[in-house]
Structures are given as C-alpha cells and as structure tokens.
Amino acid sequence: MRQSFLFPKTRKESPKEAESVNHKLLVRAGFIDQLMAGSWTLLPLGWRVITKINQVIREEMNAVGGQEMLMPLLHPKAIWNETGRWDKANEIMYKLKDAHNKEYVLSFTHEEIVMDLLRKNIKSYQDLPVSVYHFSTKFRNELRAKAGILRGREFMMKDLYSAHTSEKDLMDYYEKIKGAYSKVFRRLGFDFKVTEASGGVFTDKNTHEFQVLTEGGEDTIYYCDSCDFSENKEIFKGKEGDKCSECKKGKIVEAKSIEVGNIFPLGTWYAEMMRVYFMDKDGGKKPVWFGSYGIGPTRVMGTIVEVSHDEKGIIWPKVVAPFDIHLIELPGAKGTKEIYKKLQGIGKEVLWDDRDVPAGEKFADADLIGIPIRAVVSEKTGDKIEWKGRTSGKIELLTINSSINRLISTD
C-alpha cells in the first residue's frame, strides 16, 4: 500500500474532547473517526486491525467446535416479549416502530434469536450439542459513551452461543470456552485476569469476565497475588490487603482494568421461557441448557492501544498490526519499488511511505501509526536498508536479503 493513497492522513493534534489514550491516538493516527458520541467509523487502518483481531478469535472459536454464521440486527418485539426482556432491558434498548406501527428493537444481544433458531431445528438429544457464533454490530443505549472506542452505543461483538442436553455438558463446554478465550487474549499479548462477576440483565448466576490490567481502566477488580482468585467490585466483599480466602496464602490486590470478554452459563431459563425442548434418550421432554460468550473486537482494539503505546504513538503487537513493515522512502533512495515487491513476495504486508514530505514528518507518522518494523531507504543507505523495531533504540543497516531472512526466521 502506497501511503500517498492512504485515507485519511494523520493529524498533529488530538480531538479536543478526547480524554482516553485510545481516543487520542486512534483518531490522530487515522484508525477511527467519530460520527457522534458512542458511534465510530473504522477507517482503512482500523479495519485492517479489526480483521486480524477477528481472525485470532475465529481460529480459537473454530478450534472448540464453533460454527460461524450471521444473524439479523433488527428484531421484532414479540420475540423479546417471550422472555420479558422487552421491558426488563428497556434502559439499554433502542426501540423503533415502522410505518405499520409494528415495534422492533436493534440488537443489543442475540440470546432470543438463537433460541428461536434452536426450537425450529432441535428435536432430539441427537441434535445436541450446538455451538454457533457470529461477528456483528450491537446497539446499546450507553449512558457514558466515552473513553474512545471502549464504550460505544454501536460496536462490534463476537458472540457465541451453545446449547446442551445437561448442566454438566454446558459447564464442561463453559470451561472449554474459558480456556479458548484465555488463548485469544494471550495471543493478543494481554496481561489479564479471569474475574468472577454478576450476570447483569443476562442471568442471575455469577459469570466470568476477562479483565485486562491497566491504570486507564474504568473497572475495578480484586485478585490474589498467589492464585487465580479474582472478583469484580460488584460482588467482592473484602478489601485490598486481605488474605485470599481461596488459597489462604496470597493477599488481595485492587487494580484498575478493562473488560474485553465475558461468558455466561445461562442454564434452562431461556429454554423454559421460549419453550425450547428436546426429547431425551428415554423419550422425556427436557429444556435445553444454554450458554452465551462474548468478545468485543472494537473494544479489544482500544484496549491494545491503552496498554501498548508510548509518548510517540501506538505500539501494535505483530499479530494485529495493520501492516508488517513501514517502508520509508527518503530523497536519493534507489530501488525502493524493487524492495517493496520483494517484501510483498514473501507474503509481507507493507505500507510504503512514498509521500513528498520532510523526513521528520515521515518518522513521526511511523511512530504514531505503530507498525512493528520501520525500514528506511535513502541516499545514505545506498543498496541497504536502515532497519528498526518500533520499540527498539537500535538501528541496523541490512541488505535486502538479510532483511528477508530475518523476517522469515521470525514468522
């Protein structure tokens, strides 16, 4: 990709209303644009990052048997009345009427929609278990639509739903998803805690959140410094410094965090409310056991920026960086196009800064955008490349072949 064609250009100043790091840097670097409070456009650079985040999630969901599909965003009132959530979740719903005065809601979640699918297609225990997921837009009337892309009224969500014949089968799969989510967040480089939480408007059972530790977080969690115990502020009964009740060894630590995922063991309530039954081995009629599991990719992107940046700009992990290499062409450079093609030839995604702007502006933009490797070609470098990692102070002069070998060896 030639940077001279990249839309839009970077900005020197942060938006006046920006308070959070992700808001400031993602807007300045040209990854997102705000339409209104809580509503964001994913610009080309931002969409590249989201696509890679989604692929990491997709791989781990497929690995535990999830089947990808896509469900509608406009839902009829009737289906939400079946569970009573048309009224129960009223505060966060966006409701509307059509020309015939029929009422609808924009999706804030899809439990009812999946249950409707199940009752149309599930007859026997032989049809279970089922595990389906999709990436789609969610709409929630967020009263505090701030903190950049972390807290939106319209945002992307990956939600997976599972249906089972028994509580044991549900909870076995619940633990499997807990492991899959942990793999996702480890691949993304997060320092996170699996944290017990309340079920909110989804269930009266306790659930689990995946909380990334960061001083810029809006959530507060309490975790043990010696074991896996972690609870969020809503349900924690003790205080910082207490001895952990689980392991009896460690002490409780209070920390700020950002929630990037959550999982819910929903039991049979949805099935009973919506009459979703199956025939068991003995011919008995039983309600389906149900689970729901969510990750917000746009929220993940914002969280990465919150925990991975410096005073110059964003520092993207290699796995989700918008490009692999930022190739910077300075006056007097020779063979830049050939280098660009060779790098692409080994499967690397390259942003080629071919703009007619000062070198200082190019370097500043490279640091702001945050691509892992900066490769400079100039009159000074001759037939070599000036090679620098985004977080490294070390600059090396390498041949193109040495550069290619290094890239191949680190894949």
Side-chain angles (χ1 to χ4, degrees), residues 389-407:
R390 171 63 181 82
T391 58
S392 173
K394 182 180 179 182
I395 297 175
E396 300 175 80
L397 205 58
L398 305 176
T399 65
I400 181 61
N401 287 335
S402 295
S403 302
I404 287 172
N405 290 336
R406 179 174 295 189
L407 289 166

Side-chain angles (χ1 to χ4, degrees), residues 9 12 41 85 171 175 177 196 211 267 272 299 301 316 318 383:
K9 309 305 179 191
K12 287 185 170 60
T41 295
R85 290 211 295 174
M171 295 314 298
E175 290 301 317
I177 293 296
E196 195 167 349
Q211 294 277 4
E272 290 165 356
R299 191 173 178 84
M301 180 170 75
W316 291 111
K318 180 181 175 182
D383 61 352

Side-chain angles (χ1 to χ4, degrees), residues 11 71 331 373 411:
R11 300 182 185 183
M71 291 178 277
I373 296 169
D411 278 348

Side-chain angles (χ1 to χ4, degrees), residues 292-407:
S292 173
Y293 322 86
I295 296 178
T298 45
R299 191 173 178 84
V300 166
M301 180 170 75
T303 304
I304 290 172
V305 177
E306 289 288 329
V307 301
S308 186
H309 68 273
D310 60 18
E311 70 282 357
K312 296 178 180 178
I314 302 167
I315 302 170
W316 291 111
K318 180 181 175 182
V319 68
V320 298
F323 292 89
D324 300 310
I325 303 161
H326 205 153
L327 179 62
I328 297 179
E329 181 180 12
L330 298 183
K334 295 179 181 178
T336 311
K337 188 173 184 179
E338 287 69 27
I339 293 171
Y340 177 66
K341 287 183 176 179
K342 283 185 178 181
L343 292 171
Q344 286 185 317
I346 60 167
K348 296 300 173 182
E349 296 174 318
V350 184
L351 180 60
W352 174 8
D353 193 344
D354 60 336
R355 299 173 299 163
D356 184 17
V357 300
E361 185 175 338
K362 292 192 176 192
F363 292 150
D365 279 353
D367 285 335
L368 176 61
I369 293 170
I371 295 167
I373 296 169
R374 188 185 79 187
V376 179
V377 183
S378 67
E379 184 177 20
K380 179 182 174 182
T381 63
D383 61 352
K384 292 184 172 63
I385 298 172
E386 189 180 273
W387 193 268
K388 180 184 178 298
R390 171 63 181 82
T391 58
S392 173
K394 182 180 179 182
I395 297 175
E396 300 175 80
L397 205 58
L398 305 176
T399 65
I400 181 61
N401 287 335
S402 295
S403 302
I404 287 172
N405 290 336
R406 179 174 295 189
L407 289 166

Side-chain angles (χ1 to χ4, degrees), residues 61 64-67 69 71 109-119 122 127-134 158-178 181 262-271 276 278 287-294:
M61 295 304 95
V64 292
Q67 299 181 66
M69 60 180 186
M71 291 178 277
T109 187
H110 277 80
E111 281 82 8
E112 280 80 353
I113 311 310
V114 174
M115 293 306 287
D116 183 61
L117 283 171
L118 290 171
R119 67 184 171 192
I122 298 299
D127 298 320
L128 296 167
V130 169
S131 177
V132 291
Y133 72 97
H134 71 162
K158 184 288 306 174
D159 36 340
L160 179 145
Y161 301 90
S162 67
H164 307 266
T165 57
S166 67
E167 183 176 20
K168 181 183 184 304
D169 195 51
L170 166 62
M171 295 314 298
D172 285 347
Y173 193 71
Y174 184 87
E175 290 301 317
K176 189 179 289 188
I177 293 296
K178 192 185 291 183
Y181 272 34
N262 46 46
I263 55 179
F264 302 88
L266 300 173
T268 60
W269 184 83
Y270 284 86
V276 183
F278 68 95
V288 167
W289 290 81
F290 194 45
S292 173
Y293 322 86

